[in-house]
Amino acid sequence: MIAELAHLFKGPFAALGEAFFVNPAPQLPLKTFFASQALRDRLDCFSQRWPEPDPRAVATQWSKTYFSVLLPGTLLPSLLLDWQLPLSVETVGLHLSPDGAVRGFDLSSSGGLRRPTGETLGRFEFLVEGHLRPVIDAMASVLPLSRKVLWSNAGNVFENVLCRAADLLGKDHPALCEANAILANRLLPDGKPNPLFEPVRYIVEAEAAVRQRRICCLRYFTPELGYCKSCPKLNLSKDNETR
């Protein structure tokens, strides 16, 4: 738990804060984890959850443990306080469960309030460009997944956190509008493709909005997992059945 954020990480948010530790000398530095055999070894351990694991499904499910632990506890203080955690891949360390899933992060410090310096992505530059981009590049060099799938996995969690935050802050909160603008724009402010563009769509079915990922995460390659409830392939299957 980060002491300066203890007032935020309490009640229903307590578990989010328990995933972050101030430790300038992590036992498992992120920068060496992706560059060594360590990730492959952990994936072998992680794959033992299923009788017939497919490498693509194992990799995508593991990446989801990373993003699901990282993003809620990073986005909440950013949205509420404009607080930036120090997420440089050069200093962050990992905490893994015995079966290889990500369960926490070591940080070099507790971070602090953002000091605007004209960042391309405003309050989220430190997260998107400072952490997600180099981490996803590193993952893609090791895992049997494309960058598109990995960015989609991150975007799926990102969007879900924003939806939950809207219940707390209201959908018109300035920080939420800034965050949602990232997901809504096909291009970044510098004109480059936005890898977080529209990770999720809401399809109207029977007068109800159904949440659907734009890019499949590929978990269905492991039979025990099948399709997730937001899989775009489910919609394709329904279309084929009606033809």
Side-chain angles (χ1 to χ4, degrees):
M1 172 70 75
I2 297 174
E4 291 87 339
L5 299 176
H7 66 289
L8 181 63
F9 291 128
K10 61 183 181 180
F13 305 119
L16 304 183
E18 292 171 359
F20 295 91
F21 310 88
V22 176
N23 179 11
Q27 291 187 343
L28 188 57
L30 193 61
K31 62 181 179 180
T32 58
F33 179 71
F34 290 123
S36 67
Q37 182 65 28
L39 175 53
R40 294 181 178 88
D41 292 341
R42 296 294 182 169
L43 286 175
D44 288 341
C45 183
F46 188 71
S47 70
Q48 295 176 22
R49 298 179 174 203
W50 305 286
E52 300 179 55
D54 180 278
R56 292 161 294 185
V58 172
T60 203
Q61 293 302 103
W62 183 87
S63 77
K64 290 177 189 178
T65 72
Y66 189 102
F67 301 129
S68 294
V69 174
L70 172 77
L71 291 174
T74 299
L75 284 169
L76 188 65
S78 178
L79 291 166
L80 294 178
L81 305 174
D82 208 358
W83 187 279
Q84 293 186 346
L85 296 179
L87 295 181
S88 168
V89 295
E90 296 297 317
T91 59
V92 169
L94 278 178
H95 285 235
L96 301 177
S97 66
D99 70 351
V102 177
R103 67 178 182 184
F105 296 89
D106 282 327
L107 306 178
S108 60
S109 72
S110 57
L113 295 173
R114 178 174 70 103
R115 297 178 180 177
T117 56
E119 309 101 317
T120 301
L121 293 176
R123 73 173 67 215
F124 304 107
E125 178 92 5
F126 82 102
L127 171 60
V128 178
E129 296 295 339
H131 189 86
L132 289 180
R133 189 178 293 279
V135 162
I136 287 174
D137 285 346
M139 285 184 181
S141 70
V142 180
L143 302 178
L145 297 172
S146 69
R147 285 173 175 79
K148 284 187 177 181
V149 170
L150 291 165
W151 276 108
S152 178
N153 285 349
N156 181 58
V157 179
F158 198 113
E159 192 271 349
N160 188 51
V161 173
L162 298 187
C163 287
R164 293 177 180 272
D167 294 335
L168 177 67
L169 301 174
K171 64 180 182 179
D172 295 326
H173 188 281
L176 270 176
C177 292
E178 187 178 345
N180 281 313
I182 294 175
L183 304 186
N185 289 307
R186 189 177 294 275
L187 299 177
L188 295 172
D190 60 7
K192 295 178 181 178
N194 176 15
L196 282 174
F197 169 66
E198 202 175 68
V200 171
R201 295 167 173 168
Y202 287 85
I203 310 298
V204 178
E205 293 183 0
E207 299 183 357
V210 178
R211 188 177 188 272
Q212 184 181 99
R213 291 179 59 133
R214 187 165 61 87
I215 297 174
C216 175
C217 73
L218 306 182
R219 63 174 249 175
Y220 71 92
F221 281 109
T222 287
E224 295 82 11
L225 289 170
Y227 299 110
C228 77
K229 62 182 180 180
S230 301
C231 184
K233 291 185 177 292
L234 287 176
N235 210 44
L236 290 174
S237 298
K238 291 178 182 177
D239 289 344
N240 291 331
E241 288 173 2
T242 57
R243 290 177 183 172

PDB file of all heavy atoms in Angstrom, residues 122-149:
ATOM      1  N   GLY A 122      -1.801  14.235 -22.150  1.00  0.00           N
ATOM      2  CA  GLY A 122      -2.204  14.843 -20.893  1.00  0.00           C
ATOM      3  C   GLY A 122      -1.888  13.990 -19.683  1.00  0.00           C
ATOM      4  O   GLY A 122      -0.796  13.453 -19.547  1.00  0.00           O
ATOM      5  N   ARG A 123      -2.872  13.857 -18.817  1.00  0.00           N
ATOM      6  CA  ARG A 123      -2.643  13.169 -17.555  1.00  0.00           C
ATOM      7  C   ARG A 123      -2.360  11.678 -17.720  1.00  0.00           C
ATOM      8  O   ARG A 123      -1.918  11.024 -16.773  1.00  0.00           O
ATOM      9  CB  ARG A 123      -3.847  13.370 -16.630  1.00  0.00           C
ATOM     10  CG  ARG A 123      -5.080  12.586 -17.017  1.00  0.00           C
ATOM     11  CD  ARG A 123      -6.160  12.721 -15.952  1.00  0.00           C
ATOM     12  NE  ARG A 123      -6.675  14.073 -15.868  1.00  0.00           N
ATOM     13  CZ  ARG A 123      -7.053  14.646 -14.717  1.00  0.00           C
ATOM     14  NH1 ARG A 123      -6.969  13.986 -13.588  1.00  0.00           N
ATOM     15  NH2 ARG A 123      -7.523  15.880 -14.726  1.00  0.00           N
ATOM     16  N   PHE A 124      -2.601  11.125 -18.906  1.00  0.00           N
ATOM     17  CA  PHE A 124      -2.396   9.697 -19.097  1.00  0.00           C
ATOM     18  C   PHE A 124      -1.140   9.352 -19.904  1.00  0.00           C
ATOM     19  O   PHE A 124      -0.898   8.197 -20.219  1.00  0.00           O
ATOM     20  CB  PHE A 124      -3.630   9.086 -19.768  1.00  0.00           C
ATOM     21  CG  PHE A 124      -4.894   9.355 -19.006  1.00  0.00           C
ATOM     22  CD1 PHE A 124      -5.823  10.270 -19.473  1.00  0.00           C
ATOM     23  CD2 PHE A 124      -5.136   8.727 -17.799  1.00  0.00           C
ATOM     24  CE1 PHE A 124      -6.977  10.541 -18.757  1.00  0.00           C
ATOM     25  CE2 PHE A 124      -6.286   8.982 -17.071  1.00  0.00           C
ATOM     26  CZ  PHE A 124      -7.218   9.900 -17.554  1.00  0.00           C
ATOM     27  N   GLU A 125      -0.342  10.365 -20.208  1.00  0.00           N
ATOM     28  CA  GLU A 125       0.900  10.135 -20.959  1.00  0.00           C
ATOM     29  C   GLU A 125       1.826   9.167 -20.216  1.00  0.00           C
ATOM     30  O   GLU A 125       2.430   8.272 -20.806  1.00  0.00           O
ATOM     31  CB  GLU A 125       1.619  11.468 -21.182  1.00  0.00           C
ATOM     32  CG  GLU A 125       2.941  11.356 -21.905  1.00  0.00           C
ATOM     33  CD  GLU A 125       2.793  11.517 -23.415  1.00  0.00           C
ATOM     34  OE1 GLU A 125       1.681  11.816 -23.869  1.00  0.00           O
ATOM     35  OE2 GLU A 125       3.802  11.344 -24.108  1.00  0.00           O
ATOM     36  N   PHE A 126       1.944   9.361 -18.903  1.00  0.00           N
ATOM     37  CA  PHE A 126       2.846   8.523 -18.101  1.00  0.00           C
ATOM     38  C   PHE A 126       2.459   7.050 -18.160  1.00  0.00           C
ATOM     39  O   PHE A 126       3.323   6.171 -18.087  1.00  0.00           O
ATOM     40  CB  PHE A 126       2.844   9.003 -16.640  1.00  0.00           C
ATOM     41  CG  PHE A 126       1.684   8.491 -15.817  1.00  0.00           C
ATOM     42  CD1 PHE A 126       1.853   7.448 -14.922  1.00  0.00           C
ATOM     43  CD2 PHE A 126       0.409   9.046 -15.954  1.00  0.00           C
ATOM     44  CE1 PHE A 126       0.787   6.978 -14.163  1.00  0.00           C
ATOM     45  CE2 PHE A 126      -0.657   8.581 -15.206  1.00  0.00           C
ATOM     46  CZ  PHE A 126      -0.470   7.536 -14.301  1.00  0.00           C
ATOM     47  N   LEU A 127       1.175   6.786 -18.311  1.00  0.00           N
ATOM     48  CA  LEU A 127       0.679   5.414 -18.344  1.00  0.00           C
ATOM     49  C   LEU A 127       0.741   4.828 -19.752  1.00  0.00           C
ATOM     50  O   LEU A 127       1.290   3.737 -19.954  1.00  0.00           O
ATOM     51  CB  LEU A 127      -0.754   5.371 -17.825  1.00  0.00           C
ATOM     52  CG  LEU A 127      -1.516   4.048 -17.978  1.00  0.00           C
ATOM     53  CD1 LEU A 127      -0.802   2.929 -17.232  1.00  0.00           C
ATOM     54  CD2 LEU A 127      -2.958   4.204 -17.496  1.00  0.00           C
ATOM     55  N   VAL A 128       0.185   5.534 -20.721  1.00  0.00           N
ATOM     56  CA  VAL A 128       0.063   4.986 -22.076  1.00  0.00           C
ATOM     57  C   VAL A 128       1.416   4.910 -22.773  1.00  0.00           C
ATOM     58  O   VAL A 128       1.833   3.842 -23.247  1.00  0.00           O
ATOM     59  CB  VAL A 128      -0.934   5.810 -22.912  1.00  0.00           C
ATOM     60  CG1 VAL A 128      -1.018   5.259 -24.332  1.00  0.00           C
ATOM     61  CG2 VAL A 128      -2.323   5.804 -22.260  1.00  0.00           C
ATOM     62  N   GLU A 129       2.110   6.041 -22.841  1.00  0.00           N
ATOM     63  CA  GLU A 129       3.393   6.067 -23.539  1.00  0.00           C
ATOM     64  C   GLU A 129       4.552   5.670 -22.632  1.00  0.00           C
ATOM     65  O   GLU A 129       5.518   5.061 -23.091  1.00  0.00           O
ATOM     66  CB  GLU A 129       3.644   7.461 -24.130  1.00  0.00           C
ATOM     67  CG  GLU A 129       2.644   7.862 -25.201  1.00  0.00           C
ATOM     68  CD  GLU A 129       2.721   6.984 -26.439  1.00  0.00           C
ATOM     69  OE1 GLU A 129       3.764   6.340 -26.660  1.00  0.00           O
ATOM     70  OE2 GLU A 129       1.731   6.940 -27.200  1.00  0.00           O
ATOM     71  N   GLY A 130       4.440   6.021 -21.359  1.00  0.00           N
ATOM     72  CA  GLY A 130       5.538   5.734 -20.440  1.00  0.00           C
ATOM     73  C   GLY A 130       5.596   4.301 -19.971  1.00  0.00           C
ATOM     74  O   GLY A 130       6.664   3.824 -19.572  1.00  0.00           O
ATOM     75  N   HIS A 131       4.460   3.594 -20.020  1.00  0.00           N
ATOM     76  CA  HIS A 131       4.455   2.211 -19.516  1.00  0.00           C
ATOM     77  C   HIS A 131       3.849   1.214 -20.501  1.00  0.00           C
ATOM     78  O   HIS A 131       4.497   0.239 -20.879  1.00  0.00           O
ATOM     79  CB  HIS A 131       3.708   2.128 -18.188  1.00  0.00           C
ATOM     80  CG  HIS A 131       3.846   0.797 -17.522  1.00  0.00           C
ATOM     81  ND1 HIS A 131       4.906   0.469 -16.698  1.00  0.00           N
ATOM     82  CD2 HIS A 131       3.071  -0.325 -17.581  1.00  0.00           C
ATOM     83  CE1 HIS A 131       4.778  -0.777 -16.287  1.00  0.00           C
ATOM     84  NE2 HIS A 131       3.670  -1.275 -16.804  1.00  0.00           N
ATOM     85  N   LEU A 132       2.604   1.445 -20.903  1.00  0.00           N
ATOM     86  CA  LEU A 132       1.936   0.440 -21.727  1.00  0.00           C
ATOM     87  C   LEU A 132       2.666   0.185 -23.042  1.00  0.00           C
ATOM     88  O   LEU A 132       2.820  -0.979 -23.450  1.00  0.00           O
ATOM     89  CB  LEU A 132       0.492   0.861 -22.008  1.00  0.00           C
ATOM     90  CG  LEU A 132      -0.481   0.809 -20.826  1.00  0.00           C
ATOM     91  CD1 LEU A 132      -1.867   1.264 -21.256  1.00  0.00           C
ATOM     92  CD2 LEU A 132      -0.538  -0.597 -20.233  1.00  0.00           C
ATOM     93  N   ARG A 133       3.106   1.228 -23.705  1.00  0.00           N
ATOM     94  CA  ARG A 133       3.741   1.008 -25.006  1.00  0.00           C
ATOM     95  C   ARG A 133       5.021   0.170 -24.888  1.00  0.00           C
ATOM     96  O   ARG A 133       5.160  -0.831 -25.593  1.00  0.00           O
ATOM     97  CB  ARG A 133       4.014   2.330 -25.723  1.00  0.00           C
ATOM     98  CG  ARG A 133       4.470   2.114 -27.177  1.00  0.00           C
ATOM     99  CD  ARG A 133       4.687   3.429 -27.905  1.00  0.00           C
ATOM    100  NE  ARG A 133       3.468   4.181 -28.130  1.00  0.00           N
ATOM    101  CZ  ARG A 133       2.610   3.948 -29.127  1.00  0.00           C
ATOM    102  NH1 ARG A 133       2.849   2.954 -29.978  1.00  0.00           N
ATOM    103  NH2 ARG A 133       1.535   4.701 -29.269  1.00  0.00           N
ATOM    104  N   PRO A 134       5.973   0.526 -24.020  1.00  0.00           N
ATOM    105  CA  PRO A 134       7.165  -0.323 -23.936  1.00  0.00           C
ATOM    106  C   PRO A 134       6.875  -1.721 -23.402  1.00  0.00           C
ATOM    107  O   PRO A 134       7.518  -2.695 -23.823  1.00  0.00           O
ATOM    108  CB  PRO A 134       8.100   0.455 -23.008  1.00  0.00           C
ATOM    109  CG  PRO A 134       7.233   1.421 -22.274  1.00  0.00           C
ATOM    110  CD  PRO A 134       6.117   1.754 -23.202  1.00  0.00           C
ATOM    111  N   VAL A 135       5.912  -1.850 -22.495  1.00  0.00           N
ATOM    112  CA  VAL A 135       5.581  -3.168 -21.954  1.00  0.00           C
ATOM    113  C   VAL A 135       4.946  -4.046 -23.030  1.00  0.00           C
ATOM    114  O   VAL A 135       5.285  -5.235 -23.170  1.00  0.00           O
ATOM    115  CB  VAL A 135       4.650  -3.036 -20.730  1.00  0.00           C
ATOM    116  CG1 VAL A 135       3.937  -4.357 -20.423  1.00  0.00           C
ATOM    117  CG2 VAL A 135       5.456  -2.587 -19.521  1.00  0.00           C
ATOM    118  N   ILE A 136       4.024  -3.488 -23.795  1.00  0.00           N
ATOM    119  CA  ILE A 136       3.371  -4.266 -24.846  1.00  0.00           C
ATOM    120  C   ILE A 136       4.359  -4.632 -25.944  1.00  0.00           C
ATOM    121  O   ILE A 136       4.328  -5.739 -26.492  1.00  0.00           O
ATOM    122  CB  ILE A 136       2.138  -3.512 -25.381  1.00  0.00           C
ATOM    123  CG1 ILE A 136       1.025  -3.566 -24.323  1.00  0.00           C
ATOM    124  CG2 ILE A 136       1.657  -4.089 -26.714  1.00  0.00           C
ATOM    125  CD1 ILE A 136      -0.198  -2.744 -24.649  1.00  0.00           C
ATOM    126  N   ASP A 137       5.277  -3.727 -26.265  1.00  0.00           N
ATOM    127  CA  ASP A 137       6.326  -4.064 -27.226  1.00  0.00           C
ATOM    128  C   ASP A 137       7.162  -5.232 -26.710  1.00  0.00           C
ATOM    129  O   ASP A 137       7.502  -6.158 -27.466  1.00  0.00           O
ATOM    130  CB  ASP A 137       7.224  -2.855 -27.488  1.00  0.00           C
ATOM    131  CG  ASP A 137       6.573  -1.816 -28.379  1.00  0.00           C
ATOM    132  OD1 ASP A 137       5.540  -2.125 -29.014  1.00  0.00           O
ATOM    133  OD2 ASP A 137       7.099  -0.690 -28.446  1.00  0.00           O
ATOM    134  N   ALA A 138       7.482  -5.209 -25.420  1.00  0.00           N
ATOM    135  CA  ALA A 138       8.279  -6.285 -24.829  1.00  0.00           C
ATOM    136  C   ALA A 138       7.495  -7.592 -24.802  1.00  0.00           C
ATOM    137  O   ALA A 138       8.035  -8.664 -25.108  1.00  0.00           O
ATOM    138  CB  ALA A 138       8.723  -5.897 -23.419  1.00  0.00           C
ATOM    139  N   MET A 139       6.215  -7.523 -24.437  1.00  0.00           N
ATOM    140  CA  MET A 139       5.379  -8.726 -24.429  1.00  0.00           C
ATOM    141  C   MET A 139       5.290  -9.339 -25.824  1.00  0.00           C
ATOM    142  O   MET A 139       5.401 -10.554 -25.995  1.00  0.00           O
ATOM    143  CB  MET A 139       3.969  -8.384 -23.932  1.00  0.00           C
ATOM    144  CG  MET A 139       3.837  -8.143 -22.449  1.00  0.00           C
ATOM    145  SD  MET A 139       2.076  -7.864 -22.030  1.00  0.00           S
ATOM    146  CE  MET A 139       2.186  -7.592 -20.267  1.00  0.00           C
ATOM    147  N   ALA A 140       5.069  -8.484 -26.819  1.00  0.00           N
ATOM    148  CA  ALA A 140       4.890  -8.968 -28.185  1.00  0.00           C
ATOM    149  C   ALA A 140       6.150  -9.645 -28.717  1.00  0.00           C
ATOM    150  O   ALA A 140       6.072 -10.485 -29.624  1.00  0.00           O
ATOM    151  CB  ALA A 140       4.473  -7.822 -29.102  1.00  0.00           C
ATOM    152  N   SER A 141       7.308  -9.286 -28.175  1.00  0.00           N
ATOM    153  CA  SER A 141       8.554  -9.898 -28.627  1.00  0.00           C
ATOM    154  C   SER A 141       8.744 -11.292 -28.058  1.00  0.00           C
ATOM    155  O   SER A 141       9.585 -12.056 -28.539  1.00  0.00           O
ATOM    156  CB  SER A 141       9.740  -9.019 -28.218  1.00  0.00           C
ATOM    157  OG  SER A 141       9.941  -9.039 -26.812  1.00  0.00           O
ATOM    158  N   VAL A 142       7.957 -11.635 -27.042  1.00  0.00           N
ATOM    159  CA  VAL A 142       8.093 -12.933 -26.367  1.00  0.00           C
ATOM    160  C   VAL A 142       6.849 -13.799 -26.534  1.00  0.00           C
ATOM    161  O   VAL A 142       6.936 -15.005 -26.766  1.00  0.00           O
ATOM    162  CB  VAL A 142       8.385 -12.738 -24.856  1.00  0.00           C
ATOM    163  CG1 VAL A 142       8.516 -14.085 -24.157  1.00  0.00           C
ATOM    164  CG2 VAL A 142       9.642 -11.903 -24.651  1.00  0.00           C
ATOM    165  N   LEU A 143       5.677 -13.177 -26.423  1.00  0.00           N
ATOM    166  CA  LEU A 143       4.420 -13.928 -26.433  1.00  0.00           C
ATOM    167  C   LEU A 143       3.948 -14.185 -27.868  1.00  0.00           C
ATOM    168  O   LEU A 143       4.227 -13.401 -28.768  1.00  0.00           O
ATOM    169  CB  LEU A 143       3.339 -13.145 -25.684  1.00  0.00           C
ATOM    170  CG  LEU A 143       3.627 -12.774 -24.232  1.00  0.00           C
ATOM    171  CD1 LEU A 143       2.460 -11.965 -23.665  1.00  0.00           C
ATOM    172  CD2 LEU A 143       3.879 -14.017 -23.384  1.00  0.00           C
ATOM    173  N   PRO A 144       3.191 -15.265 -28.077  1.00  0.00           N
ATOM    174  CA  PRO A 144       2.646 -15.562 -29.414  1.00  0.00           C
ATOM    175  C   PRO A 144       1.375 -14.773 -29.699  1.00  0.00           C
ATOM    176  O   PRO A 144       0.349 -15.320 -30.097  1.00  0.00           O
ATOM    177  CB  PRO A 144       2.368 -17.064 -29.331  1.00  0.00           C
ATOM    178  CG  PRO A 144       2.011 -17.289 -27.900  1.00  0.00           C
ATOM    179  CD  PRO A 144       2.897 -16.354 -27.118  1.00  0.00           C
ATOM    180  N   LEU A 145       1.458 -13.457 -29.477  1.00  0.00           N
ATOM    181  CA  LEU A 145       0.319 -12.566 -29.659  1.00  0.00           C
ATOM    182  C   LEU A 145       0.772 -11.313 -30.396  1.00  0.00           C
ATOM    183  O   LEU A 145       1.910 -10.850 -30.210  1.00  0.00           O
ATOM    184  CB  LEU A 145      -0.280 -12.144 -28.307  1.00  0.00           C
ATOM    185  CG  LEU A 145      -0.881 -13.233 -27.426  1.00  0.00           C
ATOM    186  CD1 LEU A 145      -1.244 -12.642 -26.067  1.00  0.00           C
ATOM    187  CD2 LEU A 145      -2.096 -13.863 -28.073  1.00  0.00           C
ATOM    188  N   SER A 146      -0.121 -10.738 -31.190  1.00  0.00           N
ATOM    189  CA  SER A 146       0.199  -9.491 -31.870  1.00  0.00           C
ATOM    190  C   SER A 146       0.041  -8.321 -30.904  1.00  0.00           C
ATOM    191  O   SER A 146      -0.632  -8.413 -29.873  1.00  0.00           O
ATOM    192  CB  SER A 146      -0.735  -9.292 -33.061  1.00  0.00           C
ATOM    193  OG  SER A 146      -2.060  -9.038 -32.602  1.00  0.00           O
ATOM    194  N   ARG A 147       0.636  -7.210 -31.264  1.00  0.00           N
ATOM    195  CA  ARG A 147       0.458  -5.996 -30.472  1.00  0.00           C
ATOM    196  C   ARG A 147      -1.014  -5.582 -30.434  1.00  0.00           C
ATOM    197  O   ARG A 147      -1.489  -5.055 -29.426  1.00  0.00           O
ATOM    198  CB  ARG A 147       1.317  -4.864 -31.045  1.00  0.00           C
ATOM    199  CG  ARG A 147       2.807  -4.995 -30.735  1.00  0.00           C
ATOM    200  CD  ARG A 147       3.621  -3.937 -31.463  1.00  0.00           C
ATOM    201  NE  ARG A 147       5.023  -3.984 -31.070  1.00  0.00           N
ATOM    202  CZ  ARG A 147       5.905  -4.871 -31.526  1.00  0.00           C
ATOM    203  NH1 ARG A 147       5.520  -5.786 -32.407  1.00  0.00           N
ATOM    204  NH2 ARG A 147       7.168  -4.843 -31.117  1.00  0.00           N
ATOM    205  N   LYS A 148      -1.731  -5.810 -31.521  1.00  0.00           N
ATOM    206  CA  LYS A 148      -3.143  -5.435 -31.561  1.00  0.00           C
ATOM    207  C   LYS A 148      -3.943  -6.162 -30.477  1.00  0.00           C
ATOM    208  O   LYS A 148      -4.787  -5.568 -29.806  1.00  0.00           O
ATOM    209  CB  LYS A 148      -3.734  -5.730 -32.934  1.00  0.00           C
ATOM    210  CG  LYS A 148      -3.345  -4.740 -34.007  1.00  0.00           C
ATOM    211  CD  LYS A 148      -4.101  -5.010 -35.307  1.00  0.00           C
ATOM    212  CE  LYS A 148      -3.774  -3.967 -36.360  1.00  0.00           C
ATOM    213  NZ  LYS A 148      -4.529  -4.215 -37.622  1.00  0.00           N
ATOM    214  N   VAL A 149      -3.686  -7.443 -30.317  1.00  0.00           N
ATOM    215  CA  VAL A 149      -4.397  -8.208 -29.291  1.00  0.00           C
ATOM    216  C   VAL A 149      -4.017  -7.714 -27.900  1.00  0.00           C
ATOM    217  O   VAL A 149      -4.871  -7.548 -27.025  1.00  0.00           O
ATOM    218  CB  VAL A 149      -4.107  -9.713 -29.441  1.00  0.00           C
ATOM    219  CG1 VAL A 149      -4.637 -10.492 -28.235  1.00  0.00           C
ATOM    220  CG2 VAL A 149      -4.736 -10.255 -30.716  1.00  0.00           C
TER     221      VAL A 149
END
